[in-house]
Amino acid sequence: MRDRASKKKLLVGALRHYAGETLFDRIGRAVCRAECVPRKELYESWEVARRVRRRLTGQRIVDLACGHGLVAQIMAILDDRATEVVGVDRKLPQSVKKVAASMAETWPHLASRVRFVQSKIERFELRADDLIVSAHACGKLTDIVLERAAEVGAQVAVLPCCSCHRHLDRGGLDGWLDGDMAIDVVRALRLRERGYEVWTQTIPEEITPKNRLLFGRPAAAPAVSD
Ligand SMILES: C[S@@+](CC[C@H](N)C(=O)[O-])C[C@H]1O[C@@H](n2cnc3c(N)ncnc32)[C@H](O)[C@@H]1O
């Protein structure tokens, strides 16, 4: 098995590793052709998107702090129930366009279904029927994502990132739990207090140690059906 945590960019030379006909292989080939995404990000985005697809849905999918936008692209492939997918980042990197162009070669409908907006999360208008996804929004940014989702009562899934402990709420639990874990437990409980049904999962640790996935659905929202 190749090192799935590698931060080396996937280039066309790696196409041979994604030679099969599975959906993941096809996505892998598109990412290799884009030549701008670290290998780790392919696996991370895939593991997050497919788990979110199983649990949550929305009229619109919004990937906050989207970076290269791969989570948004994969969500758009996996979830045809949403009418559009929007990636939001305060500074969209060049890789957004490269990934989008490469994905659209294989899935032409993505060009009209996925769009990207350069905006701070704090300013982007969210709606109750959105499904909000955010992978590795650093530190306090994950809390802003959860807060913004709860303000409008939208379904939400986050994969929290690095946590600078001094500033984030550990809820007094860090005598029992490691600091990052305490912060994530507080996040989950806070979401429950806001009237959300909450689930927790992990993606494989060999891809990233920041692997806790937190899902929240307002109690009134309908459960997922195909
Ligand atoms: C660690 S990257 C994660 C990118 C992507 N979600 C991923 O999984 O690879 C964090 C991203 O958050 C963005 N960001 C930081 N503060 C932001 C803010 N206030 N509003 C929107 N995006 C922000 C950065 O520009 C960066 O692209």
Side-chain angles (χ1 to χ4, degrees), residues 25-90:
D25 281 332
R26 296 173 74 207
I27 292 170
R29 290 199 291 275
V31 171
C32 289
R33 284 192 288 265
E35 296 208 302
C36 58
V37 176
R39 189 190 299 163
K40 168 179 183 285
E41 310 273 336
L42 165 64
Y43 290 96
E44 220 169 72
S45 303
W46 168 253
E47 297 292 343
V48 169
R50 68 199 194 98
R51 284 170 174 75
V52 174
R53 165 66 178 81
R54 281 192 218 123
R55 291 251 175 220
L56 303 175
T57 189
Q59 187 67 27
R60 181 176 72 161
I61 296 169
V62 183
D63 177 8
L64 292 177
C66 66
H68 44 60
L70 194 53
V71 171
Q73 299 285 354
I74 299 176
M75 286 301 300
I77 293 169
L78 295 181
D79 195 344
D80 54 13
R81 301 162 299 183
T83 51
E84 70 165 343
V85 180
V86 186
V88 178
D89 201 287
R90 74 172 173 192

Side-chain angles (χ1 to χ4, degrees), residues 17 58 77 83 101 104 130 138 155 178 186 196:
H17 298 306
I77 293 169
T83 51
D130 284 337
C138 311
Q155 301 186 37
D178 89 67
V186 168
Y196 275 71

Side-chain angles (χ1 to χ4, degrees), residues 41 44-45 63-71 88-93 119-123 134-138 141 144 159 161-162:
E41 310 273 336
E44 220 169 72
S45 303
D63 177 8
L64 292 177
C66 66
H68 44 60
L70 194 53
V71 171
V88 178
D89 201 287
R90 74 172 173 192
K91 191 166 188 332
L92 291 170
S119 164
K120 291 187 90 174
I121 290 172
E122 296 86 335
R123 298 215 183 102
S134 190
H136 288 168
C138 311
L141 203 55
I144 295 173
L159 183 77
C161 189
C162 47

